[in-house]
Amino acid sequence: MTVTTYDLVIVGGGAAGLNAAAAARARFPGKRVLLIDGEEEIGYYRTLLPMFMTGVMPEEKLFFQRPDDPVGYETRLGVRALALDREQNHLSLGNGEVVGYERLILAQGGRPILPPMFADRRLPAGSFPVRSLAVARRIKDWLPEHRRIVVLGGGLVGSKTSVFLAMGGCQVTLVEKEPHILPTVLSERTAAPLQRHIANLGIDIRVNTTIDEIETDGNKVTRARLSTGEWLPCETLLIGIGGTPDIGFLADSDLIDGEELVVNPGLQTRDPNIFAIGDAVTIETAEGEHHQPWTWPQAVSQGKRAGDNAFRPSAAPVPRVTRVNAQNISGIPLMILGGPGVGSEVVSRPDPDPGVWREFFMEADRIVGGALVGDIAGAGPLHFRMANGEAVGGEAPQHLQRRTRAFAAESWGRLARARRARRFAMEGERA
Ligand SMILES: Cc1cc2nc3c(=O)[nH]c(=O)nc-3n(C[C@H](O)[C@H](O)[C@H](O)COP(=O)(O)OP(=O)(O)OC[C@H]3O[C@@H](n4cnc5c(N)ncnc54)[C@H](O)[C@@H]3O)c2cc1C
């Protein structure tokens, strides 16, 4: 058996893996790096797939990196990692190759969760999980002839997808099992106006229910049954109920705790030469808290940090572990600061301005999450204070004001100083 050994092997070329590769190349230019991905194409914005598959955005705009861009590392595309042998520092690949590594970064993301009716993972024609470019292309080809659509899952992916489909003239029913859409990031009160806005686009929203059966004409999907017993006409079923870490190939690696690939704040697994990042991981803080910040901005930030950490004597912690991300839902800007934690208190503006809603999830006098809807001014410093665990105490209601001026110039100053300090620290280390 021939084994080619690399200084660094990265599994996964999504936002996390590509940023790790770029950071490692920049920081350790002499190292030989290999990046492996199961997809044939990488370097695209997964977050924009709903816009692409509904025809709102052309395919070429999806890509932030082109296959012929000079990247300075080797790739194996369309090839999956199948098994990890930590004793030998070997990774077995789907093309029969075995590669050796000195350092390994696991960035294989998640795989879509399928509802129980697809337990055998066989989906009839017309039903698709929304996750990869290859499937998004199939959806795009399928939609023009099959415009009666049921979207399962009222989270970010399902809600965004429904909006773009409705804007494209499709007949859309959005099904969410919780009492309101975006249940993991918004309270019912703040979700309500957004839900009305989406319903006004002509989307039929069904909450407190799920789909427990589908009917086919022997080949393709024709109807979907809600748990209430009602049958919905359905020519296309889009599944957007989230993802789960894709950790199957690590089964014998002794890196998995329960169902989790756990890393420390320096993004190291229990094997200090193996890092893991992005949607694949759970980050355990020094206090023992477990975080799963599965968002695009976190994948980017963790990727950069892991690439930077790969050959350092001690791994620097990831700068922030938050689930902050920004959206625009059909003209309504939305800044998600993070979902409610167990036992967190909801503080929201009692009498919102039209079109503007703000809420925070508070633990003691710290903001631990929340959302700004309709007006996201001031989100940067709010995020900063939240991420640093600052006590805001009685100031919280002020921050709920529209176009908040609650941040003294001093807060902006502190933010700028912290950014400068971080930059200098990194530059100092590089020098
Ligand atoms: C439709 C959609 C819309 C979204 N919208 C938003 C949004 O608006 N805002 C936001 O913050 N987040 C959004 N997300 C989530 C965001 O895209 C993810 O958090 C982010 O892409 C995670 O990056 P990652 O690199 O960890 O994983 P991924 O992007 O999933 O990349 C992992 C890569 O690893 C590859 N891989 C997996 N297993 C193997 C293996 N065994 N061997 C080799 N390669 C492997 C996969 O093929 C994949 O290319 C969205 C997700 C989807 C699906």
Side-chain angles (χ1 to χ4, degrees), residues 11-16 36-39 46-47 50 79-81 107-110 130-131 157 160 246 249 278-279 294-297 299 325 327:
V11 178
I36 301 157
D37 198 293
E39 293 185 36
R46 207 172 285 284
T47 51
V79 175
R80 288 182 67 81
Q108 74 276 14
V130 184
R131 180 91 203 173
V157 171
K160 275 203 309 190
D246 202 345
F249 75 101
D279 281 13
W294 297 339
T295 62
W296 183 274
N325 81 79
Q327 300 291 324

Side-chain angles (χ1 to χ4, degrees), residues 10-19 35-51 53 76 78-83 91-94 106-112 129-132 136 156-158 160-161 239-240 242-243 246-250 277-281 293-300 302-303 323-328 336:
I10 299 171
V11 178
L18 283 175
N19 277 285
L35 181 139
I36 301 157
D37 198 293
E39 293 185 36
E40 298 284 349
E41 288 150 294
I42 56 174
Y44 65 87
Y45 289 104
R46 207 172 285 284
T47 51
L48 299 181
L49 290 178
M51 291 176 85
M53 69 200 197
R76 300 279 187 286
V79 175
R80 288 182 67 81
L82 296 186
L91 199 60
S92 304
L93 309 187
L106 300 170
Q108 74 276 14
R111 61 189 169 85
V130 184
R131 180 91 203 173
S132 67
L156 206 48
V157 171
K160 275 203 309 190
T161 303
I239 302 160
D246 202 345
I247 50 180
F249 75 101
L250 300 173
I277 50 179
D279 281 13
V281 305
W294 297 339
T295 62
W296 183 274
Q298 270 289 317
V300 171
Q302 291 174 30
R323 300 193 60 191
V324 169
N325 81 79
Q327 300 291 324
N328 190 303
I336 294 165

Side-chain angles (χ1 to χ4, degrees), residues 3-15:
V3 180
T4 311
T5 297
Y6 293 82
D7 296 311
L8 172 63
V9 174
I10 299 171
V11 178

Side-chain angles (χ1 to χ4, degrees), residues 150-335:
V150 175
V151 177
L152 179 59
L156 206 48
V157 171
S159 298
K160 275 203 309 190
T161 303
S162 300
V163 166
F164 291 122
L165 289 166
M167 286 161 66
C170 297
Q171 179 189 320
V172 185
T173 306
L174 175 61
V175 179
E176 168 55 52
K177 77 173 174 10
E178 299 298 330
H180 60 88
I181 62 163
L182 301 174
T184 59
V185 288
L186 299 183
S187 74
E188 185 155 12
R189 189 174 187 278
T190 301
L194 207 54
Q195 196 164 311
R196 276 197 302 276
H197 174 69
I198 291 179
N200 285 340
L201 299 172
I203 298 169
D204 179 12
I205 302 176
R206 307 297 185 93
V207 293
N208 288 316
T209 187
T210 186
I211 291 169
D212 55 17
E213 193 182 340
I214 54 161
E215 204 172 73
T216 67
D217 62 4
N219 175 26
K220 59 186 187 186
V221 62
T222 52
R223 296 202 298 169
R225 195 184 67 180
L226 294 173
S227 54
T228 55
E230 183 186 355
W231 283 95
L232 303 170
C234 174
E235 297 167 329
T236 306
L237 174 65
L238 299 181
I239 302 160
I241 53 175
T244 184
D246 202 345
I247 50 180
F249 75 101
L250 300 173
D252 298 325
S253 68
D254 193 30
L255 292 178
I256 306 299
D257 275 337
E259 298 281 290
E260 295 178 345
L261 175 56
V262 179
V263 293
N264 64 22
L267 303 169
Q268 287 163 306
T269 63
R270 64 164 64 107
D271 179 336
N273 292 329
I274 303 182
F275 296 79
I277 50 179
D279 281 13
V281 305
T282 298
I283 299 179
E284 186 177 67
T285 64
E287 295 74 37
E289 289 172 4
H290 278 205
H291 294 275
Q292 295 175 330
W294 297 339
T295 62
W296 183 274
Q298 270 289 317
V300 171
S301 147
Q302 291 174 30
K304 289 180 177 164
R305 181 47 51 100
D308 243 21
N309 274 343
F311 296 96
R312 286 168 51 154
S314 67
V318 68
R320 296 208 168 83
V321 182
T322 59
R323 300 193 60 191
V324 169
N325 81 79
Q327 300 291 324
N328 190 303
I329 308 270
S330 175
I332 299 206
L334 168 66
M335 175 63 82

